[in-house]
Amino acid sequence: MTITKDKAGAFAFLVLALAYGLNIGDIPMLPGDEDEPFNAKTMPTFLAWLMGSVSFIMLVTRSRNESGSDPVVGAFTGLEWGKTSQLLGLMVFYGMTITFLGFIPSTILFIFGGLWILEERSLKVLLLSSIPLTVIFWYILSQLLGIYLTHGELFFMLGGTQ
Amino acid sequence: MIEGILQGLYTATTPINLLMVFVGCFAGTFIGMLPGLGPISAIALMIPITYGFDPSTGMILMAGVYYGAIFGGSTSAILINAPGVAGTVATAFDGYPLAKQGHAGKALALAAYSSFAGGTIAAIFLLVAAPALASVSLSFQSADYFALMVMGLTAVSAFAGKGNFLKAILMTVLGLMLSTIGTDQSAGIQRFTFGQIDLIDGISFLLLAMATFALSEALMGVLRPDAVNVEADKATKGELGSMKLTKEEVKFVAPVVARSSVLGFFIGVLPGAGATIASFLAYGMERNLASAKEKLKFGKGSLRGLAAPETANNAACSGSFVPLLTLGIPGSGTTAVMLGALISYGVQPGPRLFVEQPAVFWSVIISMYVGNVILLVLNLPLIPYIARLLALPKQILIPLILFFSLIGVYLVSFNTYDIYMMVFVAAIVLAIRLIDFPLAPMLLGFILGGMLEDNLRRALAISDGEASFLWERPITAVILGITCVLLISPLWTIIKDRRAKNFADGEG
């Protein structure tokens, strides 16, 4: 049996509705709130039921959308997953380094890395796209607009001051 | 009203605001021209920059970006058959064939004149319609607002297109669910925070908008490489041809522009409809009205087929500001982002905006005229040069878009958790995009979620917990009646289609 894009999506939403619904029990209540016509659980409960019902209807009815009837596997194959996941990883790396290395070094590394992942191999392009842009952006933000950009923990560890 | 218009005129024409309209139009044109990046991404990218401005200036910049992005989308649609935004898909039907015939300059000029006319005519309607609706909506109560929001969210799903109704509903509910994460505003209780301090304030709308649109668009460009750049290189290195329109051509398209402006504006006012539906409807209307001979030209470079969607999409942009400014309810994904920005400036859009913040209300409307003039006078001559940016290699562009998206969100909170969260949301959104679920309803649901819950709570408190608030006030009942019609209409289409199919099978 082929699982279509619509059915796979509906199933994922059904699972989400169940998970969301189960977590409603963890919402604390103020004393006497359970007798109120509307409390912190009312809206989430309604939403969980609505998503659950709509996704169930979608699961059991025939897809009316041509592209929605395509197999879900086909939608995820033949794509550049390698480069995309490397870019996602690079973004996480940027988050990890921005406070440690500081804005300028981490941004240069990020743009350089992004260009490299996307197969730019010209050293001139790699350097000219990353360094001047980062420095100009840093200058506009910190010197012209007065927005504080961290020097990074490393800068202070090496004896730098504000 | 005259006093308000004068105040708006004064605010909109201060040097800083004029500069912002110019910057907005220019930046919007550039971003909108890049295939895959639309007005939502363009506006989302601008929000961090506008935090330092006063609300009027911020809104003026964003309105300029909105117009610029639609205009920029038309340019890439005409030159390389790659509409930057859904609203300009219909522009490519006749714009691209015209460019292939060596009339790219003429097609771009006609697109610019049509956009100008559509935007300007619709701004006149806006000038009249917005204050009128704002005065009426001053009498609205919580129950009416609740009903209006339900109608807006339903309309987005109802207009989502054939086979997308249930998907749009699911995405709207997902947006509503995301809005429940964080501290419950009235009781101060934490919901779905899973013990994470960073989730106590909920998910920021900017984070969600950037991750959903800017980040995911850029990553989709990597995930699904296409041949757009080769086409762009060819188109932008070639000659654009003359940009002049003859008197006969102007006379020929003038009635088309007039009709499409009116249609575009009213479609734009409807919550959930927006520029895409307006442009397709205008294109369809003109094809139906055309003579048999003229009909044959549609899809092969018809001036009428180009002018209609271009006029309508710009008119719809102005129209979509009516519910945003007067009711505080966004009609489209783009205006939803603007609503989020307004709220973060500390401005609550709605009927009171007209009374309490007339400078914001009127300066946005006035800036639309200024924006249209700037688009025509400054952008049109620059198009041959801006168009060369279309050939900018993707490997340079994508890391820069990723950087601006991440830093835009980081600079607001200075919290690296937001960067990780963006990566997580972008990865989920990529999967959602691959299975063809619409994203705009999610953003709309997310932005309206808090207000919807607040108004429902208040309405229930006023009616002592009775559901009678749904039909006690005529306005509430009428709005909910329209909502029911909107809900039933896709079902009616299904039944009609099925009957037609059964009939055809029986005949066969």
Side-chain angles (χ1 to χ4, degrees), chain B residues 99-418:
Chain B
K100 280 214 302 196
Q101 290 158 20
H103 301 303
K106 185 175 279 186
L108 286 169
L110 181 59
Y113 296 136
S114 308
S115 301
F116 172 76
T120 311
I121 295 171
I124 296 170
F125 283 128
L126 180 65
L127 200 70
V128 180
L133 191 57
S135 312
V136 173
S137 56
L138 273 172
S139 62
F140 279 22
Q141 292 182 1
S142 302
D144 310 325
Y145 274 112
F146 168 74
L148 261 176
M149 284 171 206
V150 173
M151 186 180 84
L153 294 173
T154 313
V156 172
S157 308
F159 290 124
K162 195 179 172 188
N164 281 330
F165 179 61
L166 292 179
K167 288 192 212 177
I169 287 191
L170 283 176
M171 291 304 287
T172 308
V173 179
L174 176 64
L176 291 168
M177 280 180 169
L178 290 174
S179 76
T180 61
I181 295 173
T183 309
D184 175 27
Q185 292 303 313
S186 66
I189 291 168
Q190 285 178 36
R191 299 187 293 194
F192 308 106
T193 55
F194 307 105
Q196 298 275 326
I197 296 169
D198 299 291
L199 284 178
I200 286 177
D201 286 336
I203 300 172
S204 103
F205 109 89
L206 181 62
L207 186 157
L208 193 70
M210 290 285 231
T212 306
F213 294 98
L215 270 192
S216 81
E217 293 279 9
L219 290 171
M220 277 304 274
V222 180
L223 204 56
R224 271 186 193 154
D226 48 38
V228 164
N229 258 31
V230 182
E231 190 86 4
D233 210 35
K234 264 196 286 176
T236 51
K237 278 184 182 151
E239 282 296 313
L240 295 181
S242 165
M243 286 190 145
K244 278 187 183 147
L245 288 174
T246 62
K247 254 186 191 170
E248 288 73 33
E249 285 168 340
V250 173
K251 262 189 193 166
F252 179 62
V253 295
V256 178
V257 167
R259 280 193 293 268
S260 305
S261 300
V262 179
L263 177 80
F265 177 79
F266 286 105
I267 297 291
V269 172
L270 296 175
T276 312
I277 292 179
S279 62
F280 277 98
L281 280 180
Y283 188 83
M285 179 177 79
E286 285 309 319
R287 200 171 44 184
N288 286 339
L289 290 174
S291 63
K293 195 180 153 201
E294 181 63 27
K295 233 176 225 173
L296 292 173
K297 287 188 190 162
F298 273 75
K300 291 172 190 153
S302 158
L303 292 181
R304 202 167 166 169
L306 172 62
E310 262 308 289
T311 311
N313 68 27
N314 258 47
C317 290
S318 301
S320 66
F321 276 86
V322 174
L324 174 73
L325 292 174
T326 58
L327 303 169
I329 294 173
S332 62
T334 316
T335 44
V337 176
M338 286 194 182
L339 173 70
L342 270 174
I343 294 170
S344 57
Y345 298 147
V347 175
Q348 183 61 55
R352 303 293 310 170
L353 180 73
F354 174 55
V355 183
E356 286 163 6
Q357 305 257 8
V360 177
F361 185 89
W362 289 107
S363 59
V364 171
I365 295 178
I366 302 291
S367 72
M368 286 179 184
Y369 292 97
V370 186
N372 277 307
V373 174
I374 284 177
L375 271 179
L376 190 70
V377 177
L378 292 176
N379 271 17
L380 187 59
L382 291 176
I383 276 293
Y385 308 100
I386 305 175
R388 296 198 189 280
L389 293 169
L390 278 172
L392 200 67
K394 214 190 285 186
Q395 65 263 36
I396 295 181
L397 210 56
I398 288 174
L400 297 183
I401 295 172
L402 296 181
F403 163 66
F404 283 117
S405 311
L406 292 178
I407 206 69
V409 173
Y410 177 75
L411 286 179
V412 175
S413 63
F414 289 97
N415 186 354
T416 49
Y417 183 87
D418 283 356

Side-chain angles (χ1 to χ4, degrees), chain A residues 5-6 20 40 64-65 115, chain B residues 167 180 191 395 436 497:
Chain A
K5 287 198 275 188
D6 279 4
Y20 182 85
R64 296 189 42 77
N65 183 309
L115 291 164
Chain B
K167 288 192 212 177
T180 61
R191 299 187 293 194
Q395 65 263 36
D436 290 333
D497 282 1

Side-chain angles (χ1 to χ4, degrees), chain A:
Chain A
M1 191 185 79
T2 313
I3 300 170
T4 64
K5 287 198 275 188
D6 279 4
K7 300 288 175 202
F11 181 72
F13 276 106
L14 186 61
V15 172
L16 177 70
L18 285 171
Y20 182 85
L22 285 173
N23 273 291
I24 293 171
D26 294 341
I27 299 173
M29 297 280 274
L30 296 174
D33 246 9
E34 54 275 13
D35 302 324
E36 290 295 319
F38 197 99
N39 57 44
K41 285 183 180 178
T42 313
M43 184 83 166
T45 309
F46 171 72
L47 292 175
W49 276 105
L50 183 60
M51 182 178 271
S53 318
V54 175
S55 53
F56 181 75
I57 292 170
M58 213 172 143
L59 257 181
V60 296
T61 52
R62 193 164 53 89
S63 176
R64 296 189 42 77
N65 183 309
E66 269 178 39
S67 77
S69 312
D70 294 341
V72 67
V73 182
F76 287 84
T77 48
L79 302 172
E80 292 275 3
W81 284 110
K83 282 181 195 169
T84 309
S85 36
Q86 282 176 49
L87 283 175
L88 287 169
L90 183 71
M91 289 191 269
V92 174
F93 176 75
Y94 186 51
M96 286 157 66
T97 53
I98 195 164
T99 47
F100 181 70
L101 294 178
F103 176 78
I104 294 180
S106 60
T107 304
I108 291 173
L109 277 176
F110 176 77
I111 299 175
F112 194 98
L115 291 164
W116 187 267
I117 290 169
L118 295 175
E119 290 173 3
E120 179 57 63
R121 293 293 180 266
S122 155
L123 194 64
K124 201 172 115 188
V125 175
L126 285 166
L127 294 176
L128 282 178
S129 305
S130 55
I131 300 173
L133 181 110
T134 307
V135 174
I136 293 168
F137 194 67
W138 170 84
Y139 182 79
I140 294 172
L141 288 179
S142 65
Q143 305 300 307
L144 297 182
L145 297 175
I147 297 170
Y148 174 75
L149 291 171
T150 177
H151 292 299
E153 289 161 26
L154 188 67
F155 177 79
F156 297 112
M157 278 160 67
L158 294 172
T161 50
Q162 283 289 357

